[in-house]
Amino acid sequence: MTTPTELYETHRELLDRAVQAAHERDYWSAFPESPSKSVYGEDAAPAGERAFTALLGKQFPIDVPGAVGTVSTERSPFGIELGVSYPKADPLALVAAARAATPAWRAAGPEGRAGVAAEIIKRINARSFELAHAVQHTTGQAFVMAFQAGGAHAQDRALEAVAYALAASTRMPAGATWAKPQRGTDPLRLAKTTTVVGRGVALVIGCTTFPTWNSYPGLFASLVTGNPVIVKPHPGAVLPLAISVQICREVLAEAGQNPDLVTLAVEQPGDGIAATLATHPDVRIVDFTGSSEFGNWLEANARQAVVYTEKSGLNTVVVDSTDDYRGLLRNLSFSLSLYSGQMCTTPQNLLVPRDGIETDAGHKSADEFGADLAAALDKLLGDPKRAAGTLGAIVNDGVRGRLAEAGDLPSVVHPSAEVAEEQFPNATIRTPVVVRLDAADEKTYTREWFGPVSFLITTDSTRHSLEIFVETVRAHGALTAAVYSTSPEVLAAAREAALDAGVHLSENLTGGVFVNQTAAFSDLHGTGANPAATASLTDDYFVTGRFFALQSRHHVPAPEESHA
Amino acid sequence: MTTPTELYETHRELLDRAVQAAHERDYWSAFPESPSKSVYGEDAAPAGERAFTALLGKQFPIDVPGAVGTVSTERSPFGIELGVSYPKADPLALVAAARAATPAWRAAGPEGRAGVAAEIIKRINARSFELAHAVQHTTGQAFVMAFQAGGAHAQDRALEAVAYALAASTRMPAGATWAKPQRGTDPLRLAKTTTVVGRGVALVIGCTTFPTWNSYPGLFASLVTGNPVIVKPHPGAVLPLAISVQICREVLAEAGQNPDLVTLAVEQPGDGIAATLATHPDVRIVDFTGSSEFGNWLEANARQAVVYTEKSGLNTVVVDSTDDYRGLLRNLSFSLSLYSGQMCTTPQNLLVPRDGIETDAGHKSADEFGADLAAALDKLLGDPKRAAGTLGAIVNDGVRGRLAEAGDLPSVVHPSAEVAEEQFPNATIRTPVVVRLDAADEKTYTREWFGPVSFLITTDSTRHSLEIFVETVRAHGALTAAVYSTSPEVLAAAREAALDAGVHLSENLTGGVFVNQTAAFSDLHGTGANPAATASLTDDYFVTGRFFALQSRHHVPAPEESHA
């Protein structure tokens, strides 16, 4: 057994560095994003693939307290057979097991819990290739993206949550001595102790597109602040979280803790155990990523809990002018294409003045801009193999349906096309559709079309674009926003507009940084300030609601004077 | 005009010291609690009294946007005529005025806002004597207590909230440079900016017993994090908050800000403007102190806001044994008597083993303990003038009714008695009632009897006492708890019980520290971990929900190399 305290000592340097990075917010990453042999070793890739393949067609090896029977619900967007089955969860048994595991976890203290969490994340990192295959074949992400977004970047986000949880829960000193001067007599002296106590059982509800990246922050923030965690994956993306929970349980048991501190809650689609768990009186924390419909339901009904949701929104790009037209087109076309726009951060609404924009390549009318964007998409996605590497596969029928619906709208600027890929002939791969709309078509563009669907919306002016941006994001939310302008006045107005709308802003991205990507330890994801999310990943607000600081105090004698 | 930034520079030393104290949590106080001439100057006391007297029988001089007519709702528990009237608020006008004042306040930044807040608190401190009279004659607190709890201690709590708000909202750097290494080419470089944006209009709903102490933390936490604040006093205790709001508006105007950032919302009792304001879509923060009934209503209905409530509970003392029986009796009798038990922190349920307790004065049966506690009360309150100085006056008919109801219960251990006081012959002053109950009488002791009503409850054993303690506090809440024991095992069990119950614990208080008093910058007030309150005054959780951190980012060129 390696105790939590020993694990803290083992990982102390990493944790200290993570806390520092979270504080400074410049570039830092703990886990290399490159799946290259020079980084992860000669055998890592084939070993990971073998490990993944060995899981297929079998019952996944994990203990789930009170489970009855098995379920198998996943299908690969790349068309391979998965056939992994999981123990079917009994929600009440999971809550009872979580509660029973809590006291020893409380006693481990923030540092011990952070040590356990760091060990878990390191072991997750060691299984990055296996996890990348699992992410690829549940979400439809291309392999390299699955390795990065589902692996290294998710691990960085996990460590970031650990850093915030550790820093916030140790900011108040565990002990303090209080001596209040008294007139004409000795000071009143009290020794005071502060103990961190978790809020209660935590529930993490995963999504189908980013099962690890979106679940890890809540999972690790709750765990480090003293709470047991029930992980409820989306039925379409169980495997990445099943592997993650397996690792959590393994490390917890080795650390002398009850592995039921982290459990897996798998259901048959329609069982509704997320709702059952989220409204259980002992479930006091809920983290959710997914639809606004269920997110809003959770906020309204999981009243006994603090609820952190990330839902849908209208990610918006305001195009005013540019001094790098090619860079703008290249950057924007990649943002629309990456993972087939199936990111909560993909731009949907591109607001362009009806009279066009000024660029380093001359004035471009709205028509010309649309045609140039379509051409940029075709150039980016012209080679099927490279296209598949960028697009990944369509995750489910909902996305396919919206793609078809958007394709039937009038004024399609760039139609969606099928892409045939050699490695996975049964994969569902499509290029994005871009549709031309007018500012008046708000019925169409004020709902989220999750997937590779974007609208080129013409407005009266950039000022009008900024008004639409603020109004639509305040009303419907957004996780990202971008502006392109060469005018300092327009950029200043866009910054104010983004503050009013409550969304983070990317300005003039024309190079290798994309509006839909955020970096752990530097970029916040979501704000809480608009309806798309109730909190940021990760800041103090995201962690401080997960624990209480409880004090005790008692008299102490005066310290003995030292006689010189 | 003195700008917010200049005010920050003026008060920077004080603010830095406050942030340090909040971090270290040993003894620190910015505002002297003694109303003596040597501290506040020769003329401070008479000048304060003159200022108070000048307010009586007149309309209070304060601008309230959109006010129509006046209201006058206060009566002094000490029986003097107040007759102060206030502009009657129009809730919608207050919200509109608050919103209009916000943009310039956002632009002032965290430091500037903290500078303004510090200036406000210093001016409040300079009017401490006037405020003490106002607190005395609305709450019924005796003058010295009104000066301390309503003055210096409330000011310390205000500064503590400013310190937490400033520290939390500046923890993320305003600017950062991110440089991500790229293989074989220059790093990707982004400059990132973080701006603090308030959540929205804040509402503070005051209570009748601690109008300043309980309102200042929410008021200043919201203000410093960028929000306009509407202060809605209890109709019985308007004046202390009217003076406070007047000072806020004066300082804000002098700092070039819109004074409508802090407004006063006075109503006719029954107008229900607290509910109207709390559910207004633009009101995004609610701080409330008062009854569980309305607090629970706010939590359930003010869904568009973050809601911080402090409600009622069952403050509990577990008596096991002591090596200072006289000290225990002296300390406990004072805790029961201070301000006639009209503190949210006054012990109500005293749990004592049926077989009695071991003390340094020999074994004491439960009967003997009850008789000794009654004798200690009589000794403490034997002299009418001193008694009035401790007890203050009964704040309203509700408290008087519960006192009468408790006096009619069987087994009264100490009956309540009237106290006649010379200075205020019309004051309503009563000594506490203590009633003997058994553990089985839970119907009586599991509701809060706010006021000078306590129960000596006999249990099977200390273990049984701890069980009742945990069960009742988990179910009904508590703001304070205490234990008396000479046994390290019992103390350890009591600490674990307090962690389970989610309440702060005072151990073996026999001297000059009382369970119902907490010190700013060291003791947390409330925990959030039991139903009596949703948060602590003041910790990071109390402030982090009041603002958002919004980022913008753009490319920057590589820094120029220095050529040596």
Side-chain angles (χ1 to χ4, degrees):
Chain A
M1 192 181 104
T2 314
T3 66
T5 304
E6 288 163 351
L7 288 171
Y8 176 66
E9 289 308 326
T10 302
H11 299 298
R12 184 164 191 165
E13 205 175 322
L14 175 69
L15 290 165
D16 286 349
R17 184 65 188 88
V19 168
Q20 182 198 339
H23 185 69
E24 296 176 349
R25 304 200 75 79
D26 48 14
Y27 175 77
W28 187 68
S29 168
F31 300 105
E33 67 181 4
S34 166
S36 79
K37 290 174 186 168
S38 63
V39 177
Y40 282 90
E42 198 67 38
D43 189 47
E49 186 167 8
R50 282 195 303 273
F52 168 71
T53 307
L55 295 170
L56 303 184
K58 301 205 184 71
Q59 171 149 4
F60 186 83
I62 193 166
D63 282 332
V64 176
V68 182
T70 60
V71 277
S72 179
T73 57
E74 297 159 298
R75 53 167 291 282
S76 168
F78 288 96
I80 69 166
E81 276 300 315
L82 296 174
V84 190
S85 62
Y86 306 90
K88 186 167 184 286
D90 168 3
L92 294 183
L94 293 184
V95 173
R99 287 198 59 185
T102 305
W105 193 232
R106 175 167 97 194
E111 288 87 355
R113 291 190 293 261
V116 171
E119 176 67 20
I120 292 170
I121 299 168
K122 296 274 270 188
R123 292 204 203 173
I124 286 175
N125 175 253
R127 288 172 73 177
S128 287
F129 282 90
E130 178 187 357
L131 274 160
H133 288 285
V135 169
Q136 175 180 20
H137 285 289
T138 48
T139 67
Q141 289 175 27
F143 181 79
V144 172
M145 179 171 175
F147 187 90
Q148 295 185 338
H153 298 170
Q155 293 150 20
D156 273 342
R157 283 282 179 199
L159 186 61
E160 180 187 45
V162 172
Y164 269 92
L166 176 61
S169 62
T170 55
R171 200 166 285 137
M172 202 162 282
T177 306
W178 179 88
K180 180 177 181 178
Q182 299 294 297
R183 193 184 294 227
T185 177
D186 289 342
L188 291 170
R189 287 182 196 280
L190 292 173
K192 303 188 179 185
T193 306
T194 300
T195 304
V196 170
V197 174
R199 181 175 282 269
V201 179
L203 171 67
V204 175
I205 305 172
C207 66
T208 184
T209 47
F210 289 89
T212 55
W213 196 97
N214 272 103
S215 298
Y216 285 173
L219 164 58
F220 286 98
S222 284
L223 203 57
V224 172
T225 50
N227 306 281
V229 184
I230 299 171
V231 178
K232 198 291 202 191
H234 189 283
V238 179
L239 190 54
L241 285 174
I243 295 170
S244 304
V245 170
Q246 185 191 54
I247 295 168
C248 290
R249 295 175 59 85
E250 174 187 299
V251 173
L252 285 162
E254 286 176 27
Q257 292 284 329
N258 187 329
D260 292 344
L261 285 166
V262 183
T263 56
L264 185 70
V266 179
E267 65 176 344
Q268 200 66 41
D271 279 359
I273 66 170
T276 306
L277 283 165
T279 52
H280 189 289
D282 291 328
V283 171
R284 303 296 312 282
I285 304 168
V286 176
D287 285 273
F288 167 78
T289 311
S291 71
S292 287
E293 191 187 352
F294 192 50
N296 292 337
W297 185 91
L298 287 167
E299 291 170 27
N301 290 280
R303 305 291 312 288
Q304 83 295 345
V306 291
V307 179
Y308 305 93
T309 62
E310 187 198 303
K311 303 168 291 186
S312 60
L314 308 176
N315 301 319
T316 302
V317 181
V318 173
V319 185
D320 171 73
S321 53
T322 182
D323 57 11
D324 182 5
Y325 189 53
R326 285 171 53 108
L328 180 160
L329 293 169
R330 206 168 43 224
N331 188 284
L332 196 53
S333 59
F334 184 81
S335 286
L336 301 186
S337 303
L338 183 63
Y339 184 31
S340 301
Q342 296 168 130
M343 301 176 71
C344 51
T345 51
T346 304
Q348 173 180 302
N349 293 344
L350 318 177
L351 300 169
V352 182
R354 195 167 293 117
D355 294 340
I357 59 174
E358 299 304 322
T359 82
D360 57 318
H363 179 85
K364 299 289 175 186
S365 70
D367 281 346
E368 286 170 314
F369 177 65
D372 292 342
L373 183 61
L377 285 166
D378 287 339
K379 185 174 172 199
L380 175 71
L381 306 172
D383 172 61
K385 194 177 157 75
R386 281 195 54 218
T390 300
L391 293 167
I394 300 297
V395 67
N396 61 29
D397 291 344
V399 175
R400 205 146 48 164
R402 283 188 291 276
L403 196 52
E405 189 185 348
D408 288 340
L409 292 171
S411 307
V412 169
V413 171
H414 182 268
S416 176
E418 290 193 32
V419 178
E421 209 264 355
E422 283 179 18
Q423 192 189 354
F424 299 109
N426 297 321
T428 309
I429 307 177
R430 300 284 185 278
T431 68
V433 63
V434 180
V435 177
R436 171 82 173 264
L437 294 178
D438 186 76
D441 300 322
E442 56 186 24
K443 265 185 85 167
T444 303
Y445 68 75
T446 58
R447 69 176 170 105
E448 190 190 44
W449 295 64
F450 186 79
V453 178
S454 297
F455 301 112
L456 182 62
I457 304 164
T458 48
T459 68
D460 297 345
S461 61
T462 293
R463 177 189 295 256
H464 187 208
S465 295
L466 291 173
E467 286 168 10
I468 292 175
F469 164 48
V470 173
E471 277 167 31
T472 55
V473 172
R474 282 184 72 96
H476 306 283
L479 286 162
T480 60
V483 61
Y484 288 94
S485 181
T486 58
S487 154
E489 292 75 26
V490 169
L491 289 174
R495 274 174 218 161
E496 285 298 305
L499 296 180
D500 290 340
V503 65
H504 305 305
L505 182 70
S506 293
E507 301 167 19
N508 290 322
L509 296 186
T510 52
V513 177
F514 303 94
V515 66
N516 30 353
Q517 294 178 324
T518 62
F521 296 102
S522 183
D523 294 317
L524 297 170
H525 174 76
T527 69
N530 71 61
T534 61
S536 288
L537 305 181
T538 294
D539 64 8
D540 277 338
Y541 180 61
F542 186 67
V543 299
T544 53
R546 298 173 194 267
F547 65 94
F548 307 113
L550 300 189
Q551 295 186 318
S552 65
R553 58 181 184 173
H554 60 86
H555 285 292
V556 282
E560 293 210 15
E561 307 258 339
S562 63
H563 298 275
Chain B
M1 191 181 103
T2 314
T3 67
T5 304
E6 287 163 351
L7 288 171
Y8 175 66
E9 290 307 326
T10 302
H11 299 298
R12 184 163 192 167
E13 204 174 322
L14 176 70
L15 289 165
D16 286 349
R17 183 66 187 89
V19 169
Q20 181 197 339
H23 185 70
E24 295 176 349
R25 303 200 75 80
D26 48 15
Y27 174 78
W28 187 68
S29 168
F31 300 105
E33 68 181 3
S34 166
S36 79
K37 291 172 187 171
S38 64
V39 177
Y40 282 90
E42 198 67 37
D43 189 47
E49 186 166 6
R50 283 194 303 274
F52 168 71
T53 307
L55 296 170
L56 302 184
K58 300 204 184 74
Q59 172 149 1
F60 186 82
I62 193 167
D63 282 332
V64 176
V68 183
T70 60
V71 277
S72 179
T73 57
E74 297 159 297
R75 53 166 292 282
S76 167
F78 288 97
I80 69 166
E81 277 299 316
L82 295 174
V84 189
S85 62
Y86 307 90
K88 186 168 183 288
D90 168 2
L92 294 183
L94 293 184
V95 173
R99 287 198 59 184
T102 306
W105 193 232
R106 175 168 98 194
E111 288 88 355
R113 291 190 292 263
V116 171
E119 176 68 20
I120 292 169
I121 300 168
K122 296 274 272 186
R123 291 205 203 173
I124 287 175
N125 175 254
R127 287 171 73 177
S128 287
F129 282 90
E130 178 188 357
L131 273 161
H133 288 285
V135 169
Q136 175 179 20
H137 285 290
T138 49
T139 68
Q141 290 176 25
F143 181 78
V144 172
M145 180 171 174
F147 187 91
Q148 296 185 339
H153 297 171
Q155 294 150 20
D156 273 342
R157 282 285 179 197
L159 186 61
E160 181 187 44
V162 172
Y164 270 92
L166 176 60
S169 61
T170 54
R171 199 166 285 135
M172 202 162 281
T177 306
W178 179 89
K180 181 178 180 176
Q182 300 293 297
R183 192 185 293 228
T185 177
D186 288 343
L188 291 170
R189 286 182 197 281
L190 292 173
K192 303 187 178 185
T193 306
T194 299
T195 304
V196 171
V197 174
R199 180 175 283 267
V201 179
L203 171 67
V204 174
I205 304 172
C207 67
T208 184
T209 48
F210 289 91
T212 55
W213 195 96
N214 272 104
S215 298
Y216 285 174
L219 165 58
F220 286 98
S222 283
L223 203 56
V224 172
T225 50
N227 307 281
V229 184
I230 298 170
V231 178
K232 197 292 202 190
H234 189 281
V238 179
L239 190 53
L241 286 174
I243 295 170
S244 305
V245 170
Q246 186 190 54
I247 295 167
C248 290
R249 296 175 59 85
E250 175 186 298
V251 173
L252 285 162
E254 286 175 28
Q257 292 284 329
N258 187 329
D260 291 344
L261 284 167
V262 183
T263 56
L264 185 70
V266 180
E267 66 176 341
Q268 201 66 40
D271 281 358
I273 65 169
T276 306
L277 284 165
T279 53
H280 189 289
D282 290 329
V283 171
R284 303 297 312 281
I285 305 168
V286 176
D287 285 274
F288 167 78
T289 311
S291 71
S292 288
E293 192 187 351
F294 191 50
N296 292 336
W297 185 92
L298 286 168
E299 291 170 27
N301 290 280
R303 305 290 313 289
Q304 83 295 346
V306 289
V307 178
Y308 304 93
T309 62
E310 187 198 304
K311 302 168 292 185
S312 60
L314 308 175
N315 301 319
T316 302
V317 181
V318 173
V319 185
D320 172 73
S321 54
T322 181
D323 57 10
D324 182 4
Y325 189 54
R326 285 170 55 109
L328 180 161
L329 292 169
R330 207 169 43 226
N331 187 285
L332 195 53
S333 59
F334 183 82
S335 286
L336 301 185
S337 303
L338 182 63
Y339 184 30
S340 301
Q342 297 168 130
M343 300 175 72
C344 51
T345 51
T346 304
Q348 172 180 303
N349 293 344
L350 319 175
L351 301 169
V352 182
R354 197 167 292 118
D355 294 340
I357 59 175
E358 299 305 321
T359 82
D360 57 318
H363 180 85
K364 300 290 175 184
S365 69
D367 282 346
E368 286 170 315
F369 177 66
D372 292 342
L373 181 61
L377 285 165
D378 287 339
K379 186 175 171 196
L380 175 71
L381 306 172
D383 172 62
K385 192 175 159 79
R386 280 195 54 218
T390 299
L391 293 168
I394 300 296
V395 66
N396 61 28
D397 291 344
V399 174
R400 204 146 50 164
R402 282 187 292 276
L403 196 52
E405 188 185 351
D408 288 340
L409 291 170
S411 306
V412 169
V413 171
H414 182 269
S416 176
E418 291 194 29
V419 177
E421 209 263 356
E422 283 180 16
Q423 192 190 354
F424 298 109
N426 297 323
T428 309
I429 307 177
R430 300 285 186 279
T431 68
V433 63
V434 180
V435 178
R436 171 82 172 264
L437 294 177
D438 185 76
D441 300 323
E442 56 186 26
K443 265 185 85 164
T444 303
Y445 68 76
T446 57
R447 69 177 171 105
E448 190 190 45
W449 295 65
F450 186 78
V453 177
S454 296
F455 302 112
L456 182 62
I457 304 164
T458 48
T459 68
D460 297 345
S461 62
T462 293
R463 176 189 294 254
H464 188 207
S465 295
L466 291 174
E467 287 168 8
I468 292 175
F469 164 48
V470 173
E471 278 166 30
T472 55
V473 172
R474 283 183 72 97
H476 306 283
L479 286 162
T480 60
V483 60
Y484 288 94
S485 181
T486 58
S487 154
E489 292 74 27
V490 169
L491 290 174
R495 275 174 216 159
E496 284 297 305
L499 296 180
D500 289 340
V503 65
H504 304 305
L505 182 70
S506 293
E507 301 168 17
N508 291 321
L509 296 185
T510 52
V513 177
F514 303 94
V515 65
N516 30 355
Q517 295 178 323
T518 62
F521 297 103
S522 184
D523 294 317
L524 297 170
H525 173 77
T527 68
N530 71 62
T534 60
S536 286
L537 307 179
T538 296
D539 64 8
D540 278 338
Y541 180 61
F542 186 68
V543 299
T544 52
R546 298 174 195 265
F547 66 94
F548 307 113
L550 300 189
Q551 296 185 319
S552 65
R553 57 180 183 173
H554 60 87
H555 285 292
V556 281
E560 294 210 17
E561 306 259 339
S562 64
H563 298 276

